[in-house]
Amino acid sequence: MKFVVVGAGAIGAYVGAALARGGADITLVARGDHLRAMRAHGVHVVSERGDFEAQPPATDDWSVIEDADVVFLGLKAYSLPTVAHLLGTLMNPGATVIASQNGIPWLYFE
C-alpha cells in the first residue's frame, strides 16, 4: 500500500515519519525551505511518546499522488481551494483520502 502526505508541514511530516518508521511506503509532498530541510536531514520527531527520526522521500512533484492508495491531506484549510483541482485530477479513483485540516482561524468557531 502506497501512502502520500500532501502538505508535509508539522502535522503531515509527523504522520509521514511515523508511517515510515512503521515500514510503510510513504512519500511527503512539501515545498520551499521545509522541503529542502527534509530532503537534507529527514524528519526529527521530539515527542512524549519517544523521539525518533525518519528519512521518507520528499518531493514537490504532485504526480506522486497518481499511484497512492492513501492520500493524507495536511494542508492548511485556506490552501485547499487552490489545489483541489489537482487532487481531483491526479488521484487514483480508488484512493482513500484522510483530511487533517488545520489553519482554520479561531474566529471560525465564533
Side-chain angles (χ1 to χ4, degrees), residues 2 4-5 9 12 17 26 33 48 59 62 69 73 78 86 89 94:
K2 181 176 178 176
V4 173
V5 174
I26 176 77
D33 290 340
E48 291 181 7
T59 185
W62 283 58
D69 298 300
L73 297 178
Y78 54 78
L86 284 173
T89 302

Side-chain angles (χ1 to χ4, degrees), residues 80-93:
L80 263 180
T82 60
V83 300
H85 70 283
L86 284 173
L87 294 169
T89 302
L90 293 173
M91 272 185 19
N92 173 350

Side-chain angles (χ1 to χ4, degrees), residues 16-107:
L19 286 166
R21 181 181 187 198
D25 179 359
I26 176 77
T27 301
L28 307 178
V29 177
R31 61 190 170 127
D33 290 340
H34 189 64
L35 171 60
R36 286 187 286 284
M38 288 190 297
R39 283 179 168 165
H41 308 289
V43 179
H44 180 81
V45 175
V46 178
S47 169
E48 291 181 7
R49 293 177 162 176
D51 302 351
F52 67 94
E53 293 184 23
Q55 294 277 343
T59 185
D60 59 359
D61 180 3
W62 283 58
S63 70
V64 297
I65 296 171
E66 294 173 346
D67 298 326
D69 298 300
V70 178
V71 177
F72 181 91
L73 297 178
L75 298 167
K76 299 271 190 256
Y78 54 78
S79 298
L80 263 180
T82 60
V83 300
H85 70 283
L86 284 173
L87 294 169
T89 302
L90 293 173
M91 272 185 19
N92 173 350
T96 298
V97 176
I98 301 170
S100 173
Q101 301 302 250
N102 60 7
I104 298 173
W106 64 268
L107 56 93

